Amino acid sequence: MAANATILSNGSSSTTPSPGTFQSLARNNSYIIPGVYDLNVEDTNWVLTSSFIIFTMQTGFGMLESGCVSVKNEVNIMMKNIIDIVLGGFTYWLFGYAMSFGRGALNNPFVALGDFLIDPDVSDPLFGPIFAAFLFQLSFSTTATTIVSGAMAERCNFKAYCIFSFFNTIVYCIPAGWVWGEHGFLKNLGVVDIAGSGPVHLIGGASAFASAAILGPRLGRYAKGTDPLPLGNPVNACMGLFVLWWGWLAFNSGSTYGVSGAKWAYAARAAVMTMMGSFGGGSFSIIYSMYNNDGRMDVVDLINGILASLVSVTAGCYLYHAWEAIVIGAIGSALCCFGMPLFDRMGVDDPVGASSVHGVAGIWGVLAVGLFADNPLRMDTTSGRSGLFKGGGWYMLGVQSLSALCLACWGVCVTFLLLWLINKIVPIRMDPNEELLGADLMEHRIRHTQIGISRALSALAPIQLDLGDVIDAPPIGRNPGHERCVDEIEAASHKLHQWRTAMDQFSKKEKADSKGLSRKPMETARTQTQETRRRVNMFGKPMANGADNAGYDGDGAPVTVSILGGSDFRLKTSKKEGKEVYPMTNVGGDQGSSRGADRNDRNFAWID
């Protein structure tokens, strides 16, 4: 596209004044139009819609990662994903977008320097395209930064992670400019990466590897070998895969950057090839897992194999034929499945396998373009070149290899440096005692039940460790108001039992005192008294005799309330005639008419 042509809001083109009309460093000026702003109305609609869908991948990452870690850390991993969007997105607006796609006189092949704090004026002819381009690139940036959170799970200090998330944009934005920015040296060499196998996934995977390595393994991770640990919630992990699968379609087909001209056809091809790649990767994962586990399917193998295949086809998603996408996806899945145990043998503890899924498969995805890429008609994606297997020679494979090398080295080295600096300010590793108790409890005061937290608290009690505030943290999943009601019901049942015992003793004494007297007049008087007085129990229901009382079982056996397992409330049932005693449900409620009843009756339970 010509450098002096701009796209107006109505889709028509006009000629802007020459660059001399404006100051070269004017904020958000529009006299130079990179391809990232080459959008008409239809293209903008496509880009915005794809951006919205790509953002849903954050849900998928959160569910997948929380499902792979232990339950006592699942909330913490979700908090990290939120932090990645908030802090990572904020810094991308501050300086990340400017260092990837900024327009300024100081731009160089390594980094762009312009359009910081981007906010174009309404009079800017590129007002709409700038915002659409920023949102689309923001969705990619947050995806790259959140890949790292899973590799650091279960032992990273949350405060240190917040600082890391704030500056992690640097790890992504500069190499993204190399590949996609008008200034980037890799782009000008002819590197092709349509949707980010390199700038997004390889950078994220390399950063994940460095993070896991510098943090060290979780406590006791390799005490009994390198076999995978059990998942905290396999269902969540599988649901996360489905959400990511859905988002990947927008991730790849949206990277045609519009639907005008021939773009719509290649957007459709990108979506289909994305699915084809996942079919190949999933098929290999099934075979590998069943062979490796004696006919049993391992959840992590299947999930990560499919994700690795999606990563592999991302770089050339609309440059492949169907069979090529299937082969590329299968190879990516194989590299991931073999890579995960290899990293464990190296002592690199990656709880979600991000180093293999995004790092190893990302390298393969970048290289696959140099082997299988077609030269797309009516699109200048490859600058007229083709891959090695399509008769294009070695050039494309060479520049793709250079790209993979540069991106991997950058991701590892910069992440190591960043975490080393943060560790000088805030320890990046959790205290070992806090790690045993879990980040949910220690960082967020969320206490899970029946997962060993109480055991860990008891074990750490003799140690000089301030656990007063976390010990008092209420367990999640319970309603404190309901717990108080249960306590009241338990006390009422105990009082009812005491009252009935006292009435039994009084009745026996009454019988003893009435020996020698006629029993018939007494029974007649008692019957008349019962007919003239309506009994009202604590449920507000009239009762004719003691058999209707929920606290009376007909044979004088005590009825008690027990709290089982700390939260399981049950009332024991009557042994006579299989009668079930239902729990009392109205304690201190509006049914206050019981106060008018006779307290000296076994059918009445008084609650103070």
Side-chain angles (χ1 to χ4, degrees), residues 280-581:
S283 298
F284 177 86
S285 298
I286 294 172
I287 297 171
Y288 169 83
S289 183
M290 288 191 172
Y291 176 80
N292 198 46
N293 297 286
D294 299 325
R296 295 185 299 274
M297 175 62 64
D298 182 77
V299 176
V300 175
D301 286 342
L302 182 59
I303 291 176
N304 283 351
I306 294 174
L307 292 177
S309 66
L310 291 168
V311 171
S312 300
V313 299
T314 294
C317 52
Y318 61 71
L319 303 178
Y320 305 135
H321 291 286
W323 72 267
E324 294 168 341
I326 293 172
V327 171
I328 292 170
I331 295 175
S333 176
L335 292 172
C336 173
C337 291
F338 292 126
M340 287 189 294
L342 178 61
F343 283 127
D344 281 326
R345 292 189 183 97
M346 294 169 56
V348 179
D349 180 19
D350 187 343
V352 299
S355 303
S356 296
V357 172
H358 302 278
V360 175
I363 293 174
W364 164 240
V366 174
L367 297 178
V369 175
L371 298 172
F372 296 96
D374 270 333
N375 176 23
L377 300 177
R378 296 182 293 167
M379 299 276 283
D380 60 353
T381 306
T382 64
S383 301
R385 301 185 182 95
S386 300
L388 179 64
F389 296 161
K390 300 299 178 66
W394 292 90
Y395 182 83
M396 178 172 281
L397 180 60
V399 295
Q400 294 297 119
S401 301
L402 175 63
S403 175
L405 178 63
C406 292
L407 296 176
C409 291
W410 172 268
V412 171
C413 294
V414 176
T415 302
F416 263 116
L417 177 61
L418 183 57
L419 288 175
W420 180 80
L421 292 174
I422 293 173
N423 194 47
K424 297 294 183 181
I425 304 171
V426 180
I428 60 175
R429 178 83 189 224
M430 292 177 65
D431 180 89
N433 296 322
E434 294 182 353
E435 184 178 341
L436 290 175
L437 292 170
D440 288 2
L441 180 63
M442 301 307 298
E443 299 283 4
H444 312 293
R445 297 301 181 266
I446 295 177
R447 182 173 179 178
H448 300 276
T449 57
Q450 299 179 351
I451 60 169
I453 296 296
S454 298
R455 182 166 173 254
L457 286 170
S458 300
L460 294 173
I463 303 176
Q464 297 299 322
L465 187 65
D466 184 14
L467 297 175
D469 54 344
V470 298
I471 291 177
D472 295 333
I476 64 169
R478 297 185 183 180
N479 186 323
H482 291 177
E483 292 291 328
R484 285 191 293 271
C485 287
V486 170
D487 291 339
E488 292 179 8
I489 293 172
E490 186 177 28
S493 180
H494 180 66
K495 213 165 195 180
L496 175 62
H497 175 59
Q498 290 180 326
W499 184 262
R500 194 169 61 190
T501 301
M503 291 301 296
D504 287 342
Q505 294 176 352
F506 179 79
S507 178
K508 291 177 181 179
K509 183 178 179 182
E510 185 182 49
K511 290 180 180 179
D513 293 342
S514 63
K515 283 185 178 180
L517 299 177
S518 174
R519 299 180 59 185
K520 186 174 181 180
M522 294 178 61
E523 292 177 356
T524 301
R526 182 176 299 174
T527 301
Q528 292 175 350
T529 302
Q530 292 177 348
E531 290 176 352
T532 56
R533 297 168 57 189
R534 294 183 57 83
R535 309 301 187 194
V536 180
N537 64 7
M538 63 188 304
F539 299 97
K541 298 179 180 179
M543 297 192 306
N545 50 54
D548 292 331
N549 193 341
Y552 181 64
D553 63 1
D555 61 0
V559 178
T560 61
V561 179
S562 61
I563 305 299
L564 304 177
S567 64
D568 233 355
F569 167 63
R570 300 195 186 108
L571 286 176
K572 292 183 179 179
T573 58
S574 173
K575 299 177 181 179
K576 184 177 181 180
E577 297 179 355
K579 175 184 174 183
E580 184 176 0
V581 182

Side-chain angles (χ1 to χ4, degrees), residues 238-256:
C238 293
M239 291 297 294
L241 168 64
F242 284 121
V243 177
L244 289 173
W245 218 333
W246 145 260
W248 227 292
L249 294 173
F251 200 88
N252 288 359
S253 60
S255 293
T256 58

Side-chain angles (χ1 to χ4, degrees), residues 154-155 216-230 349 429 432 435-436:
E154 300 201 75
R155 76 269 202 204
R218 291 165 286 179
L219 292 177
R221 170 62 181 92
Y222 300 119
K224 293 186 177 181
T226 60
D227 290 339
L229 298 179
D349 180 19
R429 178 83 189 224
E435 184 178 341
L436 290 175

